[in-house]
Amino acid sequence: MPRLTYLGHAAFTVEGSKARIVIDPFLSGNPLATASPEQVEVDYVLLTHGHGDHLGDGIEIARANKATIVAPNELAIYCAGKGAQTHPMHIGGAFQFPFGRVKLTIAHHGSVAPDGTYTGNPCGFLITMDGKTLYHPGDTGLFYDMKLIGQMNKIDLALLPIGDNFTMGIEDAVMAADFLQARMYIPMHFKTFEVIDVEPGEFVNKVKAKGQKAQVLPIGASLEY
Ligand code: NI
Ligand code: MN
């Protein structure tokens, strides 16, 4: 079973039987993060978009670990320009990596690097490792195609942004859970900034009230799924 660890904000590591990956490693700029970029030992770095709170320490981590960055093409080109090894992909495309399958999904959001470089369209990730499917939607508003994503994939664990302002808020994330019909939900993208200071327990209670499973994963905590 893959092991997921929450690094804060939208950052997670996933350890499978064949590789370790990190998604959106925003650590050195996040006052709530408990891990430092130097502590992240991975084979792949998956980036949903170029915003500073997602690209984060991704390039540095990839270079230090000789890890491959998997990202939408324009963002991958940007990272390659900074000396990282990359595997560019784009929305709707899937690829079988040695550790598992990654498919890029749509995300309704923007994407620009902290230095102002336009980094294309943002994405979400469907990651199938060791027979289990994880959905990290990136930063996005609610969209009805989540219903299609749920119909086409048996999702074991879905990470949903709930912070509002920049992404879905709690009410929309509860609707996303309705669309996705995943086996379990974990909230993300809350409390890091003042404008996204919402209570994750409220999301968990509302999802449970609709007969699905959800839990708050504290920063630094892990679970197997
Ligand atoms: Ni963003
Ligand atoms: Mn964000």
Side-chain angles (χ1 to χ4, degrees):
M1 282 191 290
R3 185 179 178 80
L4 177 98
T5 302
Y6 190 32
L7 302 181
H9 202 54
F12 295 85
T13 55
V14 189
E15 294 164 69
S17 61
K18 291 181 182 139
R20 293 155 303 174
I21 68 172
V22 67
I23 310 164
D24 287 357
F26 170 54
L27 302 175
S28 58
N30 180 3
L32 302 181
T34 53
S36 70
E38 295 74 28
Q39 290 171 303
V40 178
E41 291 179 4
V42 290
D43 307 291
Y44 291 86
V45 178
L46 275 61
L47 301 174
T48 61
H49 63 295
H51 289 161
D53 59 321
H54 296 261
L55 171 61
D57 305 291
I59 294 168
E60 293 75 14
I61 290 170
R63 282 177 14 192
N65 289 273
K66 296 194 187 344
T68 301
I69 290 179
V70 178
N73 184 52
E74 295 81 356
L75 177 57
I77 290 169
Y78 175 80
C79 295
K82 304 272 181 198
Q85 197 172 295
T86 62
H87 180 109
M89 294 183 71
H90 233 308
I91 291 160
F95 186 78
Q96 188 69 43
F97 289 91
F99 66 85
R101 183 176 188 260
V102 175
K103 185 172 185 180
L104 267 59
T105 58
I106 57 167
H108 291 304
H109 195 65
S111 185
V112 66
D115 68 6
T117 306
Y118 176 62
T119 45
N121 282 312
C123 75
F125 291 115
L126 280 163
I127 304 159
T128 305
M129 264 168 119
D130 301 340
K132 304 286 180 181
T133 298
L134 173 73
Y135 179 42
H136 187 306
D139 277 359
T140 186
L142 177 66
F143 55 90
Y144 196 68
D145 281 8
M146 282 185 179
K147 200 165 174 119
L148 182 64
I149 292 171
Q151 274 172 12
M152 292 180 71
N153 301 276
K154 193 182 124 315
I155 299 169
D156 294 286
L157 177 59
L159 314 167
L160 294 177
I162 62 160
D164 226 331
N165 195 79
F166 298 114
T167 67
M168 294 187 278
I170 288 173
E171 213 177 316
D172 287 9
V174 171
M175 183 56 76
D178 230 45
F179 289 162
L180 293 166
Q181 292 296 312
R183 196 158 54 78
M184 167 70 85
Y185 302 90
I186 288 174
M188 64 171 178
H189 213 274
F190 59 89
K191 289 208 185 294
T192 319
F193 315 118
E194 211 174 313
V195 291
I196 60 170
D197 187 6
V198 305
E199 286 309 320
E202 189 189 327
F203 165 77
V204 167
N205 291 339
K206 285 183 169 164
V207 169
K208 283 183 175 170
K210 292 183 121 185
Q212 295 203 75
K213 286 187 192 167
Q215 73 175 82
V216 177
L217 193 62
I219 296 174
S222 302
L223 72 79
E224 291 189 340
Y225 63 93

